[in-house]
Amino acid sequence: MDLNMITIGSRGSALALAQTGWVRDQISAKFPDEQIAIKVIKTSADRNPTASIRAGSSVGVFVKELEQALIEKEIDIAVHSMKDVPTSLSPGLTISAVPEREDARDAFISDKARKLTELPSGSIVGTGSIRRQSQLLVMRPDLKVLDIRGNVDTRLKKLHEGAYDAIVLACAGLNRLGLNGQICSAFEFSEILPAPGQGALAIEVRMDDQHAITLTSILNHIPTATAVSAERLFLQHMGGGCNVPVAAYARFSLGMMQIDGLVASPDGKTVIAESVWQRSEMANDAVRALADRILERGGRAILDAL
């Protein structure tokens, strides 16, 4: 690796490259003398794009090879979708910046309806997420929710070819790819609560690489970082990975943080949801208490069954 070159690692999907390109451009704008390259790293999920990621063993499938490349100094910076990042990082690594969050909502996309409520009974909805499946079935238990794999373009192609009547994707990814015109409607947080960290990016570096920390820390957006930290603490306290039916969303209002948490059975028949308001400096204790209440009300039994 060129000692004068900063290398950013990325997955090879169009979305990952768009996100990484944005990070590179932001750093270049602030540090125009830096030479920055992007290196594509294939992850477990990329090597087997047809396999389901619903299994518990899928924790970290989008990030572990990027982390290994960081540790081995093949790259200096890794860019991830925050919702894919396990709550425990590899030793020696740290998240140096969480840029301002994109739209955290989930998007309904269909050629047959503008909203979920308009789909005929028995319609097939595609999602790769148990969290989305659970909440879709709460609203529409008469629908068939089936697994879907592939990147954003692949999923949209499957929809438009008629394999599904509708699919659900993150608004953030569609916006970053300039595909927001595909969105028929966005689910409100009261309808589908997002994955912890959804819509946010995680910029990861080696703890001892002060140069990379300096370059990337200018991208940190404190309100986003604080909210995402609370959501990830909730996920960690629930004992869940990145693809369990656990959802959380934190936001600020009038100097207070509102945190919504949820766990649901995959069939949508059992949903346990709670909310808490707290000053941001006391948010961690509030998040732990929120998770404990949900676990005690039946959340632990749902997660144990998985």
Side-chain angles (χ1 to χ4, degrees), residues 52-61 64 86 130 239-245 303 305-306:
S52 175
I53 55 171
R54 290 170 176 245
S57 60
S58 66
V59 173
V61 292
K64 60 185 178 183
I130 302 177
C242 61
N243 198 29
V244 291
L303 294 175
L306 294 172

Side-chain angles (χ1 to χ4, degrees), residues 17 22 25 39 46 49 64 123 182 287 294 302:
L17 289 169
W22 179 86
D25 294 346
K39 181 174 183 176
D46 299 319
K64 60 185 178 183
S123 294
Q182 296 274 348
V287 166
I294 291 175
I302 291 173

Side-chain angles (χ1 to χ4, degrees), residues 173-182:
L174 293 162
N175 290 344
R176 289 181 176 125
L177 286 169
L179 295 171
N180 48 312
Q182 296 274 348

Side-chain angles (χ1 to χ4, degrees), residues 25-63:
D25 294 346
Q26 297 300 306
I27 294 173
S28 292
K30 294 283 187 180
F31 302 96
D33 294 334
E34 290 290 338
Q35 297 180 59
I36 305 173
I38 292 174
K39 181 174 183 176
V40 172
I41 306 289
K42 276 208 167 185
T43 67
S44 306
D46 299 319
R47 291 193 188 97
N48 192 3
T50 59
S52 175
I53 55 171
R54 290 170 176 245
S57 60
S58 66
V59 173
V61 292
F62 294 117
V63 304

Side-chain angles (χ1 to χ4, degrees), residues 196-232:
Q198 183 160 310
L201 299 181
I203 300 177
E204 191 176 22
V205 300
R206 292 181 294 278
M207 282 181 177
D208 61 0
D209 189 344
Q210 191 55 53
H211 186 53
I213 291 171
T214 299
L215 294 180
T216 55
S217 60
I218 52 109
L219 296 177
N220 195 50
H221 184 251
I222 292 173
T224 299
T226 305
V228 165
S229 177
E231 294 163 17
R232 284 168 59 77

Side-chain angles (χ1 to χ4, degrees), residues 39-185:
K39 181 174 183 176
V40 172
I41 306 289
K42 276 208 167 185
T43 67
S44 306
D46 299 319
R47 291 193 188 97
N48 192 3
T50 59
S52 175
I53 55 171
R54 290 170 176 245
S57 60
S58 66
V59 173
V61 292
F62 294 117
V63 304
K64 60 185 178 183
E65 283 85 359
L66 281 160
E67 287 195 329
Q68 192 59 36
L70 267 176
I71 291 165
E72 295 176 1
K73 299 188 177 181
E74 289 179 45
I75 61 175
D76 306 295
I77 299 166
V79 179
H80 312 289
S81 293
M82 179 63 87
K83 68 178 182 179
D84 296 331
V85 179
T87 52
S88 295
L89 304 180
S90 293
L93 303 181
T94 186
I95 293 173
S96 59
V98 181
E100 187 171 3
R101 192 178 216 160
E102 244 288 359
D103 190 339
R105 295 176 297 172
D106 281 318
F108 176 79
I109 307 165
S110 176
D111 293 329
K112 300 179 179 179
R114 298 298 299 174
K115 295 181 178 180
L116 185 76
T117 52
E118 297 172 4
L119 281 177
S121 183
S123 294
I124 297 171
V125 182
T127 174
S129 160
I130 302 177
R131 172 191 60 81
R132 289 177 180 139
Q133 170 186 304
S134 301
Q135 295 181 83
L136 287 167
L137 290 171
V138 170
M139 292 183 282
R140 291 291 307 271
D142 59 320
L143 298 178
K144 294 178 182 175
V145 181
L146 300 182
D147 198 13
I148 187 171
R149 282 286 282 121
N151 59 33
V152 171
D153 287 335
T154 300
R155 295 186 191 201
L156 289 171
K157 185 170 183 283
K158 288 177 181 178
L159 168 72
H160 298 317
E161 288 176 348
Y164 301 86
D165 298 306
I167 60 174
V168 179
L169 297 171
C171 287
L174 293 162
N175 290 344
R176 289 181 176 125
L177 286 169
L179 295 171
N180 48 312
Q182 296 274 348
I183 300 173
C184 296
S185 57

